Amino acid sequence: MLIKGTALVWSDDQEMELSEGGIVYLPKNVPHGYRITSDTADLLMICTPGGIEGMFRHAGRDLATPRPEGFRIEPELLAEAADKYGQIVLGPPR
């Protein structure tokens, strides 16, 4: 669910534009990706069964501290995190 901002979402061969309040369902084992198209965005992701949050923690940062200047998720770290938590990264969004 996109709480604030705008985004493009791809699921298999479909492309969707989301605005605030938009919801998308991404079934298991269907290739998907998204790109935030606004300057900032807030989103709520519910993933079941649990476990994928470990990938985000491994590749991301501690949100209890200010965002470091120039912070970005390095592709190598994301690939490492995905492998560790059983995910497959297909590549950057279209």
Side-chain angles (χ1 to χ4, degrees):
M1 176 176 175
L2 192 59
I3 297 168
K4 181 180 176 185
T6 57
L8 285 174
V9 179
W10 297 274
S11 178
D12 207 7
D13 62 353
Q14 295 181 358
E15 179 176 299
M16 298 155 269
E17 290 187 47
L18 286 184
S19 57
E20 293 181 10
I23 297 174
V24 64
Y25 170 70
L26 302 169
K28 184 177 183 178
N29 296 323
V30 174
H32 63 274
Y34 66 93
R35 179 186 311 139
I36 302 300
T37 54
S38 52
D39 289 337
T40 62
D42 292 328
L43 55 113
L44 171 65
M45 293 173 49
I46 300 172
C47 303
T48 60
I52 193 171
E53 66 277 3
M55 181 184 86
F56 296 117
R57 286 188 184 113
H58 187 95
R61 66 180 185 84
D62 182 355
L63 294 179
T65 61
R67 182 182 181 128
E69 184 71 31
F71 174 80
R72 62 172 278 197
I73 295 174
E74 298 298 329
E76 299 80 15
L77 186 57
L78 180 58
E80 176 185 295
D83 187 52
K84 182 174 181 176
Y85 290 92
Q87 304 299 310
I88 299 171
V89 177
L90 299 176
R94 301 175 193 159

